[in-house]
């Protein structure tokens, strides 16, 4: 039981490049989330998926897109990376949205030059 | 709107001494409160949560938190700190009476426990 896994662990991009961050959970959770963590700002919600087939914007969705591929997988895509997207990205999952404890992956450290 | 504040960027405590990491929140309805811990280069780990009931909540690794409605606080405590408790701690809140809200995290407090 691996919990929440994320790939890659580290990534360096040039401005304008695109990439997809992958997340998978093996806890049969219904809800999944993408956060970004910046120093002194805590975690800010980018997008979430309350259940398979649905996605919704969080606090800071601009510049990102998501896909809930199936119940296990939730990907985050940067279409045209910008230096302001340099951050640590965390994926999380919970059994149901809003009312349940979230479990986090190990994170992806992204640098955009 | 909901918000959470962690007024201290860093807390220093000697091993064996009690520790407190402060958290205050603002919601218009009833709060659902969490504490998470983050060790270096790791994701956040759940410590404890409060939704209703006893104001003193016990969690993992000997941590506890006290919910104080009048002071809108949810401070994290431990009677005797360990060096291994050194990490980044996050408080989070959700307004239970606002169905559209997700979790809001504080900026984090770095706990340094010195031998």
């Amino acid at each position: 039981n691996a919990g929440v896994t994320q790939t890659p662990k580290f990534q360096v991009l040039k401005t304008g490049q695109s990439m997809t961050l992958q997340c998978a959970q093996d806890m049969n959770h219904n809800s999944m989330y993408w956060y970004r963590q910046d120093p002194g700002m805590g975690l800010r919600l980018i997008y979430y998926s309350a259940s398979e087939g649905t996605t919704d914007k969080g606090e800071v969705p601009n510049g990102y897109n998501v896909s809930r591929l199936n119940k296990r997988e939730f990907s985050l895509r940067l279409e045209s990376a910008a230096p302001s997207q340099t951050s640590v990205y965390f994926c999380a999952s919970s059994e149901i949205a809003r009312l349940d404890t979230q479990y986090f992956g190990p994170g992806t450290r992204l640098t955009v030059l | 709107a909901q918000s959470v504040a962690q007024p201290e960027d860093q807390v220093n405590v000697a091993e064996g001494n009690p520790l407190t990491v402060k958290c205050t929140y603002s919601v218009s309805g009833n709060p659902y409160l969490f504490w998470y811990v983050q060790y270096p280069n790791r994701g956040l780990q759940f410590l404890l949560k409060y939704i209703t009931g006893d104001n003193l909540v016990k969690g993992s690794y000997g941590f506890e938190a006290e919910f104080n409605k009048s002071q809108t606080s949810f401070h994290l405590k431990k009677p005797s700190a360990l060096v291994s408790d050194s990490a980044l701690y996050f408080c989070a809140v959700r307004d239970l009476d606002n169905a559209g809200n997700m979790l809001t995290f504080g900026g984090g407090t770095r706990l340094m426990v010195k031998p």
Side-chain angles (χ1 to χ4, degrees), chain B residues 3-4 17 19 24 29-30 32 36 38 43 48 58 60 70 72 74 76-77 81 84-85 94 96 99-100 104 112 114:
Chain B
S3 65
V4 61
N17 283 0
L19 69 88
T24 58
N30 290 299
Y32 188 17
Y36 282 86
Q38 184 181 29
L48 52 80
K58 294 190 184 298
S60 306
S70 62
T72 62
F74 189 56
L76 182 70
K77 301 181 180 185
S84 57
D85 292 330
R94 193 176 79 71
L96 279 170
T104 296
M112 300 289 291
K114 299 188 178 179

Side-chain angles (χ1 to χ4, degrees), chain B residues 97-115:
Chain B
D97 296 335
N98 188 332
N101 280 0
M102 302 302 284
L103 270 185
T104 296
F105 285 83
T109 298
R110 187 165 302 280
L111 174 66
M112 300 289 291
V113 182
K114 299 188 178 179

Side-chain angles (χ1 to χ4, degrees), chain A residues 19-86:
Chain A
M19 79 160 297
T20 299
L21 282 64
Q22 305 287 353
C23 173
Q25 52 91 10
D26 62 3
M27 295 175 282
N28 201 35
H29 285 169
N30 290 298
S31 303
M32 298 185 73
Y33 314 82
W34 276 105
Y35 291 90
R36 60 179 288 174
Q37 182 183 25
D38 301 294
M41 300 187 73
L43 275 74
R44 292 181 293 169
L45 184 65
I46 304 171
Y47 271 93
Y48 67 98
S49 171
S51 61
E52 188 178 357
T54 69
T55 60
D56 286 285
K57 294 179 180 179
E59 182 185 353
V60 288
N62 291 345
Y64 305 96
N65 284 301
V66 290
S67 295
R68 184 74 183 267
L69 303 170
N70 48 55
K71 191 172 185 179
R72 289 187 64 248
E73 299 172 289
F74 188 38
S75 63
L76 178 72
R77 183 161 177 83
L78 286 70
E79 291 291 350
S80 180
S84 61
Q85 294 178 304
T86 294

Side-chain angles (χ1 to χ4, degrees), chain B residues 32-96:
Chain B
Y32 188 17
L33 293 152
F34 290 82
W35 275 102
Y36 282 86
V37 59
Q38 184 181 29
Y39 298 102
N41 301 313
R42 302 287 294 276
L44 276 69
Q45 295 178 31
F46 168 74
L47 274 181
L48 52 80
K49 65 182 178 184
Y50 172 86
I51 184 167
T52 187
D54 195 346
N55 289 343
L56 187 64
V57 180
K58 294 190 184 298
S60 306
Y61 313 122
F63 284 93
E64 57 190 27
E66 186 170 11
F67 171 67
N68 187 317
K69 188 171 184 177
S70 62
Q71 297 186 6
T72 62
S73 66
F74 189 56
H75 299 332
L76 182 70
K77 301 181 180 185
K78 188 174 183 182
S80 179
L82 299 173
V83 173
S84 57
D85 292 330
S86 298
L88 192 55
Y89 290 81
F90 290 98
C91 182
V93 68
R94 193 176 79 71
D95 188 338
L96 279 170

